Amino acid sequence: GAGNDGYVSIWYDQSGNGNDAFQTTYDYQPKIIDNGSIELSPSGQPTVRFLYTSPNFSSLITPIGTVDNTNSVSFFMVVEIERALSASQIFLNLSGGSGEQVGVGVTNSGTVFNYGGFLNKSTSHTPSLNQNILYSVMTDSSNFEGFADGSSILTTPIVTISITQNGRISSLFQGALHLGGTISEVILFNSGKADDRADIEGDISNHYNITLS
C-alpha cells in the first residue's frame, strides 16, 4: 500500500531453465515498489531500480549455469542510466573470474564491454542519461559484436572464456561499479542470434519506445 517499498529477492528466469537472478541480502536488493507505486521505466513500463548509495548498493547474482558457452552467447538488455557517467558502472557481467568476463557497462569515456577482461573493450558510444537504451551482444565462431540501439559499436575477435563464478546484474561484484538507474529487460541465449537480432531488437524497441539507429 501507500508508503511501502518493495524489493527484488529473485528475478525469475522466464525460459523455464531455472537460471533465476537472486539477492538474499535485503540491503542489496533492487527496488520494484516505491512508496506504494510500481517503479516505471522512462517509457512507462514496470522496471527494476538499482541503487548505488551506501548501504543500498543494489545488485542481483546470476548463477554459473546461466550460460555455458561464451563463444556462442547472445544477450539483450534495456538499461536506463541515472548516475553521472563520471562513475564507472557495470550493467551485466556474466563471469566474475579474473580475466574471464563477458558484459557491458559505462565509464566516463562511454559504453565499454567486458570481454576476456575488465572494462577492456572501449567504444565511441556515449549513452544519454534518463532514457531507455537497448544493448545487444552477439558472438559467433569468429567475432564478438556489441550494439547500442541497433547500431554496431564494437567488433573484436573471440577469445576462449570459462565461466567459473557467479555473475552480476548491476555491478562487477558487491560494492564495486554499481549502476545507478533501472534495468527493465535482460534476455540471454546460449546461442548466436545474429540472424534474429533485428527482429528481437525490433520487438524490444517497440515495447520500450526505443528508437533504433
Side-chain angles (χ1 to χ4, degrees):
N4 294 323
D5 294 337
Y7 297 87
V8 177
S9 59
I10 301 176
W11 191 337
Y12 288 100
D13 176 7
Q14 301 299 303
S15 72
N17 292 324
N19 291 317
D20 305 326
F22 61 94
Q23 180 53 264
T24 57
T25 302
Y26 178 77
D27 281 347
Y28 302 157
Q29 292 171 357
K31 183 181 282 190
I32 196 169
I33 302 290
D34 181 59
N35 194 27
S37 297
I38 295 173
E39 291 278 9
L40 298 176
S41 73
S43 50
Q45 292 84 5
T47 193
V48 178
R49 183 172 303 281
F50 290 84
L51 310 174
Y52 62 94
T53 55
S54 180
N56 304 116
F57 293 110
S58 303
S59 71
L60 291 169
I61 300 166
T62 61
I64 294 173
T66 302
V67 294
D68 56 22
N69 182 4
T70 56
N71 288 334
S72 182
V73 64
S74 306
F75 69 74
F76 303 81
M77 64 187 308
V78 176
V79 179
E80 175 210 6
I81 307 167
E82 297 173 343
R83 188 180 186 186
L85 299 183
S86 56
S88 295
Q89 303 166 63
I90 295 292
F91 314 143
L92 177 67
N93 194 53
L94 291 180
S95 173
S98 177
E100 299 284 327
Q101 299 166 352
V102 179
V104 62
V106 68
T107 69
N108 58 3
S109 298
T111 296
V112 63
F113 292 90
N114 291 350
Y115 187 57
F118 165 57
L119 297 179
N120 62 328
K121 301 296 181 183
S122 300
T123 77
S124 59
H125 175 261
T126 302
S128 298
L129 298 181
N130 305 307
Q131 70 178 43
N132 287 331
I133 302 166
L134 171 57
Y135 285 107
S136 311
V137 158
M138 306 286 119
T139 57
D140 58 26
S141 60
S142 301
N143 293 314
F144 171 102
E145 188 168 9
F147 300 81
D149 292 338
S151 291
S152 177
I153 58 174
L154 173 75
T155 302
T156 189
I158 62 166
V159 297
T160 299
I161 295 174
S162 298
I163 292 183
T164 58
Q165 299 182 25
N166 294 327
R168 293 273 177 172
I169 297 173
S170 182
S171 71
L172 182 65
F173 51 84
Q174 189 57 44
L177 308 187
H178 285 264
L179 167 68
T182 68
I183 296 177
S184 301
E185 194 89 43
V186 182
I187 305 174
L188 301 172
F189 293 96
N190 252 329
S191 59
K193 289 293 179 181
D195 292 342
D196 302 314
R197 179 184 62 82
D199 289 339
I200 296 171
E201 289 179 339
D203 289 343
I204 295 172
S205 64
N206 287 337
H207 184 72
Y208 291 102
N209 195 29
I210 297 170
T211 300
L212 298 181
S213 52

